[in-house]
Amino acid sequence: MHLRRNLRPLRRRPSVRPARTGGLLVASALLVSACSSGGSTGSATSAAEAVLAALPRATPSGLASYYGQKPKWRTCGVPGFECATVKAPLDYADPGAGDVRLALARKKATGPGRPLGSLLVNPGGPGGSAIDYLQGYAGIGYPAEVRGRYDMVAVDPRGVARSEPVECLDGRSMDAYTQTDTTPDDAKETDGLVDAYKKFAEACGAHSADVLRHVSTVEAARDMDIVRAVLGDPKLNYVGASYGTFLGATYAGLFPDRAGRLVLDGAMDPSLPARRLNIDQTAGFETAFQAFAKDCVRQPDCPLAAKGAKPAEVGRNLKAFFGKLDAHPIPAGDADGRRLGESLATTGVIAAMYDEASWEQLREALTSAIKENDGAGLLVLSDSYYERDAGGGYTNLMSANAAVNCLDLPAGFSTPDEVRDGLPAFEKASPVFGEGLAWASLNCAYWPVAPTGEPHRIEAKGAAPIVVVGTTRDPATPYRWAQSLSRQLSSARLLTYDGDGHTAYGRGSACIDSTINAYLLRGTPPTRGKRCT
């Protein structure tokens, strides 16, 4: 899928960075990131009977040393923040088999008012650095009254960024990987795509063999309970976006008695298999694109249709443009010689769907590409999505994204023939993006580690009220997922944002922000059926 977490901002007001992602996304390793990536059919029937079971309240004796750690805080890089490292067992079933080192960062509460303990934040992905998110946005951009009462805390999940990162391809190889044609026209191109997936998977297995088996969401949620304990908090207070909602809901399911004030913004539905998740997300991107198209034809500079044209014309013209790039990539002014082909262009467009504040930038980039044969603008958008820097290096976002997704759920498709059979459903969900996103769902088929998870419901019986936030035109986490998760969680309150973009908190709605702030500061959940615009 393409949940992916909150994108790093393009041109936008300060806000919760859109999830790429997640996402939140199930995984399409060549494209967006975020949710999870498994499941064989579009049905969630088998998951309806599977419920995540709570762990025993008592801490197992084999984990006592982990829960009793005293982190040594030190200054680190960004003024006002301090960092530490704690240990967690590599394998919770065998705590004596070794450790993983988890990187933490925090910014102490600034006052005034009674301290409320720690507030953990996670931007999604899977694969997004929570520490980068804390230091770059949440620790300075969350409402002052929230930062005044809480120690703002982040932990990079196992396998991510500073916490035993999964490593796969180097920068040059990642460049080749992200340019792979994900809309194969013949057997040769299909073989090329399969070969790219295999090489990526083999590289992950070669460079990260040990940690690759232990980066599941369940394990990351158990790590958060260790972090809660070493911080001295009796309960976990948490804001998770995109995939971070799956992580937070999983924590609540495992430790309902320790779930404090949990905000799950841009929610995932853990009960769905990967193929259903991927189809739903494909439809979500189409919904977001249609909103962009309606806006585009109202603008004087829409490069895909004349002012006043039907929005459907925008989609037809964009798909035709992608087809031209598939045959003839265009220059992009890239120092490393990359040209803009269909795959990078598609990723650039999808990146802008996460936040309506990026639509103007997308129009400018498409204008340059279509009318001036200059792909630089779309390449900037694509690089921001993949977290590629100007020197050609990548963060480990895409590596960790695939690693978590492919472990959490069985592959959505197992063979190219299955993808071809499934294409009509994806293309119905999105005439513009469906074909590429269907083929992107094949990546976990060649993963070197067997999945350990299955679709399941999360009820978290006994947990305090949990706020689930859904945006009606969210591209990466469709609104129906928030509705479904809120029905599963026994104590959930659904908060609806009637609007565009991925996630809602901190993105300009005073109604959303004040409702969530009241919950975080006073424990007051939203009224049932609460909607904001």
Side-chain angles (χ1 to χ4, degrees):
M1 225 172 69
H2 310 281
L3 246 171
R4 131 151 264 192
R5 63 168 191 155
N6 287 342
L7 273 177
R8 78 177 58 240
L10 304 170
R11 289 185 187 172
R12 55 176 308 174
R13 59 184 179 275
S15 77
V16 175
R17 294 186 286 176
R20 350 184 195 201
T21 215
L24 175 247
L25 320 190
V26 178
S28 51
L30 284 188
L31 220 344
V32 252
S33 35
C35 236
S36 46
S37 65
S40 56
T41 72
S43 170
T45 303
S46 60
E49 299 177 0
V51 177
L52 183 65
L55 293 171
R57 293 191 179 192
T59 300
S61 58
L63 300 180
S65 62
Y66 295 104
Y67 276 79
Q69 295 174 87
K70 303 295 182 184
K72 297 179 180 179
W73 295 99
R74 64 189 186 281
T75 58
C76 56
V78 182
F81 293 84
E82 52 188 1
C83 297
T85 302
V86 299
K87 295 179 180 179
L90 175 66
D91 183 354
Y92 277 92
D94 184 9
D99 301 329
V100 293
R101 298 177 67 86
L102 304 174
L104 279 68
R106 76 176 176 185
K107 187 176 184 183
K108 296 284 286 182
T110 54
R114 179 176 59 85
L116 294 173
S118 305
L119 179 66
L120 267 69
V121 296
N122 184 283
S129 170
I131 291 177
D132 286 351
Y133 177 72
L134 176 72
Q135 295 178 336
Y137 171 64
I140 55 177
Y142 266 37
E145 56 268 38
V146 173
R147 291 182 286 114
R149 303 281 298 281
Y150 283 102
D151 291 346
M152 301 293 293
V153 179
V155 54
D156 281 345
R158 54 173 63 205
V160 174
R162 300 164 182 82
S163 296
E164 309 278 356
V166 172
E167 301 291 350
C168 299
L169 300 174
D170 61 20
R172 187 170 295 275
S173 297
M174 274 298 294
D175 279 348
Y177 183 64
T178 59
Q179 294 176 78
T180 303
D181 187 350
T182 54
T183 57
D185 300 315
D186 53 34
K188 181 179 179 181
E189 290 185 354
T190 301
D191 290 344
L193 178 59
V194 168
D195 187 56
Y197 286 143
K198 288 181 177 179
K199 286 181 178 178
F200 183 89
E202 289 167 359
C204 297
H207 296 305
S208 303
D210 291 337
V211 72
L212 209 62
R213 292 174 170 79
H214 297 287
V215 292
S216 70
T217 297
V218 166
E219 289 164 310
R222 297 191 69 172
D223 292 345
M224 286 205 303
D225 197 53
I226 291 176
V227 171
R228 173 203 59 77
V230 302
L231 291 172
D233 293 305
K235 293 193 175 186
L236 179 80
N237 299 311
Y238 174 85
V239 177
S242 197
Y243 162 80
T245 68
F246 182 31
L247 182 58
T250 299
Y251 180 90
L254 295 174
F255 306 103
D257 58 308
R258 299 174 196 166
R261 298 171 186 177
L262 271 57
V263 177
L264 309 179
D265 185 11
M268 285 184 58
D269 182 354
S271 72
L272 298 178
R275 194 183 303 181
R276 182 72 259 166
L277 285 167
N278 289 339
I279 290 174
D280 283 357
Q281 194 179 59
T282 299
F285 281 112
E286 181 67 21
T287 297
F289 178 74
Q290 288 302 316
F292 164 77
K294 290 177 183 178
D295 179 76
C296 193
V297 297
R298 291 195 292 262
Q299 307 299 328
D301 62 343
C302 181
L304 293 167
K307 188 173 182 180
K310 298 288 186 182
E313 186 176 342
V314 175
R316 289 193 297 269
N317 290 339
L318 181 61
K319 189 168 178 63
F321 173 61
F322 285 160
K324 291 179 181 179
L325 293 179
D326 189 24
H328 302 289
I330 62 175
D334 181 59
D336 295 313
R338 293 177 300 159
R339 296 171 69 85
L340 184 77
E342 181 184 17
S343 292
L344 291 177
T346 301
T347 302
V349 173
I350 283 178
M353 294 299 100
Y354 282 86
D355 183 2
E356 68 274 20
S358 300
W359 290 356
E360 179 183 357
Q361 182 177 358
L362 176 59
R363 291 198 308 273
E364 293 173 358
L366 286 168
T367 297
S368 295
I370 294 170
K371 298 184 177 181
E372 301 168 18
N373 209 46
D374 179 2
L378 283 173
L379 188 63
V380 166
L381 286 165
S382 178
D383 284 351
S384 74
Y385 187 88
Y386 285 126
E387 294 193 351
R388 182 191 192 272
D389 62 34
Y394 291 77
T395 69
N396 92 311
L397 168 68
M398 300 310 296
S399 300
N401 181 262
V404 176
N405 287 331
C406 295
L407 198 61
D408 273 352
L409 290 172
F413 291 113
S414 298
T415 67
D417 285 341
E418 286 187 6
V419 177
R420 293 188 189 96
D421 290 342
L423 276 175
F426 278 81
E427 291 177 321
K428 180 180 179 181
S430 175
V432 177
F433 305 117
E435 181 183 7
L437 298 187
W439 283 102
S441 303
L442 182 63
N443 70 306
C444 287
Y446 309 103
W447 203 244
V449 177
T452 58
E454 292 284 352
H456 56 270
R457 293 171 54 82
I458 300 178
E459 296 179 353
K461 291 182 178 179
I466 297 171
V467 176
V468 176
V469 188
T471 298
T472 57
R473 293 183 294 281
D474 191 313
T477 51
Y479 179 62
R480 70 174 67 178
W481 291 357
Q483 292 175 303
S484 178
L485 181 61
S486 67
R487 288 192 295 265
Q488 294 172 45
L489 292 168
S490 61
S491 62
R493 292 289 181 90
L494 176 63
L495 174 61
T496 298
Y497 175 53
D498 186 1
D500 297 293
H502 183 40
T503 72
Y505 187 43
R507 299 190 68 250
S509 169
C511 173
I512 289 288
D513 292 354
S514 62
T515 302
I516 292 176
N517 291 345
Y519 171 70
L520 291 175
L521 295 172
R522 298 186 292 277
T524 306
T527 57
R528 297 191 184 278
K530 176 84 172 181
R531 294 181 72 91
C532 297
T533 57

